[in-house]
Amino acid sequence: MKKYLSFFVIATVFMTSFIGSAKAESFTDVSTSYPFYEHIHYLTEQGVIKGYEGNRFGPTEEVTRAAAAVMIARALGLPTEKKQTIFKDVSSQSFASGAIQSANDAGIIQGYTDGTFGPDKIVTRGEMAIFLSRAFKMKDEEPMTFKDVPVSSAGYAYISKVIAAGVTQGYSETEFRPNEPVTRAQFSAFLARATNEALRLTVYACGYNPASNVNPDKQTLNCLVTKAARNSDIPPEIAKAIVTVESDWTHFLNNGEPLISEDGGIGLMQITNRPGFDVEKLKYDITYNIEAGIQLLAENFKRLDLPSIGTKDRSTLEHWYFAVMAYNGTKPVNSPFYSATGERNPNAYQEKVYRNISNGMLTTNITAIDMTSDDFTYDGSTTANIQFNKKTFAMKGEGTKSAELLANGDTVNYTGKGLRSKPSTAKDSIVTVTSGNTYTILGGPVYDENPVSNNHFVWYPVKTLHNGKTITGYIATPYIHK
């Protein structure tokens, strides 16, 4: 059986050997060619980690919860002075008592239900993800592809965040090894990357390398657009419907050149040559093209020359109506009504976008926007912009809330056929649940496991109570209701 130094022995070593800060290059067991030398050196210079007697670092020793609390507290500048703690297994005389209590107070490393902290317990990769994502308030997430990290696991929502932050990566696309112990060298690398952007791993959003100059598969595109929209607090349903109308989800042609429309629109989001944008990047960098389109949409929502709707709530799809119109232009062709007849104009750009939201599976309520043809003046024989006779429009009915801006911990209702065991519409993925169940979101969006699926909606990992038992799975956004 492997032997570990007890918490109190470690405390003694820390207290007797951490007098003065050793330089990483002086550690006898960490050469300059060591894989994590740069990370250890950085944290040593910052006073976050220190070595043992004899200029030894102990890179292969496993990290305890007490040691993790100390290192994280130092990195964040939290109080580390000895103090009384709320944990019955952490003495006030322990060198780590202050850091442990600080880490607990900050919600970073919490104790167990029996009132203990478990200072001697070894930190696993899954726990590391939990601690660091909480400590550094990581929000961005990458889609989970690890088969050994089920939705029901404690680290599920956190592992996707440390991956997105460039703190660590899996052993493969399908294996993360969440239960594997973390060594001092590994923890140093993770912590250094969390605190220093220059040390982070390269992360390609949704796993797509923008330098590849090829169209990614449909679900990777779904991911790229969804992530960009969520990062800007824009309903992804809106952004993806725009992509459908603008380019039908095509950026590169078969010859490797970007799609260019007759009016000069470039690529997936059909961005025209506007000042401030790099034209070559718009052509050959899909990620940049998407972000540019999202930026324009966000700017439109803030424009004071466009009418606002209701409370101008960013999560209400109908409230983006005029921002969507302006994406194509406030020209007579996009008037909501024909001036001659007063009838609705189904060919207006924004009307097309709303019809395409979520593959038509989600019905919005734009007809509830309280507007008439008298609210718009334009001369159809010219290209002059529409004159808006009202600056604020009310809703005659309920608006449609975005289902793709949800976050971990949100609770929702679901009207789909059933919980899914995997993010898929395949019949064999359905898990029987009671109609009307309430579901709790367990992480960020995931995408159909079939990479060529035409579904533009996303799935959420969730848990629910069924027959007195908690079960987990996935639900599709078109059937989610807050």
Side-chain angles (χ1 to χ4, degrees):
M1 181 179 293
K2 186 176 289 186
K3 301 288 186 182
Y4 300 111
L5 288 174
S6 74
F7 173 58
F8 298 105
V9 172
I10 292 175
T12 302
V13 173
F14 267 64
M15 292 172 65
T16 58
S17 63
F18 288 178
I19 302 173
S21 175
K23 299 291 185 182
E25 57 264 32
S26 69
F27 292 139
T28 57
D29 51 359
V30 179
S31 68
T32 55
S33 62
Y34 190 75
F36 301 126
Y37 167 81
E38 188 176 9
H39 308 82
I40 294 170
H41 174 71
Y42 169 74
L43 291 184
T44 303
E45 290 291 305
Q46 298 297 312
V48 173
I49 58 175
K50 302 174 183 179
Y52 300 116
E53 290 179 342
N55 289 333
R56 187 176 65 86
F57 180 72
T60 60
E61 292 180 14
E62 293 168 346
V63 173
T64 64
R65 283 165 57 85
V70 170
M71 287 186 277
I72 291 173
R74 286 175 179 158
L76 295 178
L78 300 177
T80 58
E81 297 81 8
K82 294 179 184 178
K83 65 184 299 183
Q84 187 71 39
T85 77
I86 64 171
F87 303 110
K88 58 187 179 184
D89 58 346
V90 180
S91 166
S92 61
Q93 297 306 305
S94 162
F95 86 102
S97 58
I100 287 173
Q101 189 60 51
S102 291
N104 177 77
D105 292 343
I108 298 169
I109 308 179
Q110 298 168 329
Y112 300 100
T113 55
D114 63 358
T116 63
F117 181 79
D120 289 342
K121 289 187 176 180
I122 302 302
V123 175
T124 64
R125 280 170 55 83
E127 290 170 329
M128 171 277 300
I130 295 173
F131 300 162
L132 294 186
S133 62
R134 286 174 177 170
F136 296 94
K137 297 179 172 57
M138 298 175 186
K139 294 182 179 180
D140 194 19
E141 299 177 63
E142 277 296 304
M144 290 289 286
T145 60
F146 304 119
K147 303 299 184 184
D148 57 353
V149 184
V151 176
S152 57
S153 63
Y156 179 90
Y158 302 95
I159 290 171
S160 63
K161 292 179 180 178
V162 293
I163 295 291
V167 167
T168 189
Q169 57 190 9
Y171 283 87
S172 69
E173 288 188 1
T174 60
E175 186 182 31
F176 183 78
R177 301 183 191 175
N179 299 319
E180 186 171 287
V182 175
T183 66
R184 278 169 55 82
Q186 291 168 339
F187 196 87
S188 297
F190 302 147
L191 185 56
R193 291 168 186 157
T195 57
N196 187 340
E197 187 173 349
L199 296 174
R200 291 175 191 167
L201 301 172
T202 299
V203 179
Y204 294 123
C206 305
Y208 175 71
N209 183 347
S212 61
N213 284 16
V214 295
N215 289 315
D217 63 65
K218 293 179 180 179
Q219 288 307 306
T220 298
L221 273 177
N222 185 12
C223 176
L224 288 169
V225 179
T226 300
K227 277 176 64 72
R230 281 172 60 91
N231 288 341
S232 294
D233 195 25
I234 294 174
E237 297 97 330
I238 296 284
K240 288 185 281 191
I242 286 176
V243 172
T244 300
V245 173
E246 291 286 357
S247 65
D248 197 22
W249 296 83
T250 299
H251 186 89
F252 289 109
L253 302 176
N254 291 336
N255 61 3
E257 291 300 310
L259 172 69
I260 307 291
S261 64
E262 291 182 0
D263 63 354
I266 300 172
L268 198 73
M269 301 293 287
Q270 285 294 284
I271 310 298
T272 53
N273 187 8
R274 297 198 182 197
F277 289 133
D278 184 322
V279 175
E280 289 305 301
K281 290 188 70 176
L282 286 174
K283 290 180 178 178
Y284 298 104
D285 185 337
I286 291 180
T287 302
Y288 181 80
N289 188 284
I290 292 170
E291 290 174 350
I294 294 296
Q295 179 183 328
L296 290 175
L297 190 58
E299 290 173 354
N300 287 347
F301 194 74
K302 296 178 181 178
R303 282 173 54 174
L304 299 179
D305 61 320
L306 295 175
S308 63
I309 299 173
T311 58
K312 205 170 184 179
D313 176 22
R314 295 181 72 91
S315 67
T316 300
L317 302 185
E318 292 82 1
H319 291 188
W320 287 82
Y321 185 87
F322 292 105
V324 173
M325 173 197 286
Y327 191 89
N328 185 258
T330 56
K331 301 298 182 182
V333 69
N334 290 329
S335 171
F337 300 92
Y338 295 120
S339 61
T341 65
E343 294 179 353
R344 197 89 182 194
N345 176 12
N347 296 313
Y349 175 80
Q350 67 278 6
E351 299 280 332
K352 295 177 184 178
V353 168
Y354 277 89
R355 283 199 299 273
N356 277 281
I357 284 178
S358 200
N359 277 8
M361 297 182 67
L362 181 66
T363 302
T364 56
N365 200 20
I366 56 175
T367 57
I369 302 172
D370 191 11
M371 58 185 178
T372 68
S373 59
D374 293 336
D375 298 321
F376 309 93
T377 300
Y378 65 88
D379 182 351
S381 65
T382 73
T383 58
N385 289 336
I386 298 169
Q387 177 183 326
F388 300 105
N389 301 327
K390 286 176 63 174
K391 287 297 184 180
T392 304
F393 291 89
M395 293 282 294
K396 292 184 292 186
E398 292 292 324
T400 309
K401 290 288 186 180
S402 171
E404 299 193 6
L405 289 175
L406 299 173
N408 188 16
D410 285 344
T411 57
V412 298
N413 296 315
Y414 187 64
T415 58
K417 292 182 179 179
L419 190 66
R420 302 282 176 157
S421 61
K422 52 189 176 182
S424 170
T425 56
K427 291 183 179 179
D428 65 356
S429 67
I430 297 178
V431 178
T432 301
V433 291
T434 304
S435 177
N437 277 17
T438 297
Y439 297 81
T440 301
I441 305 294
L442 297 178
V446 294
Y447 305 87
D448 200 295
E449 68 172 11
N450 177 8
V452 298
S453 169
N454 288 317
N455 292 328
H456 297 157
F457 58 80
V458 302
W459 302 83
Y460 279 108
V462 297
K463 67 178 179 180
T464 189
L465 194 63
H466 180 62
N467 293 333
K469 182 180 179 182
T470 297
I471 59 174
T472 58
Y474 301 88
I475 57 176
T477 51
Y479 307 106
I480 290 176
H481 307 278
K482 275 287 279 182

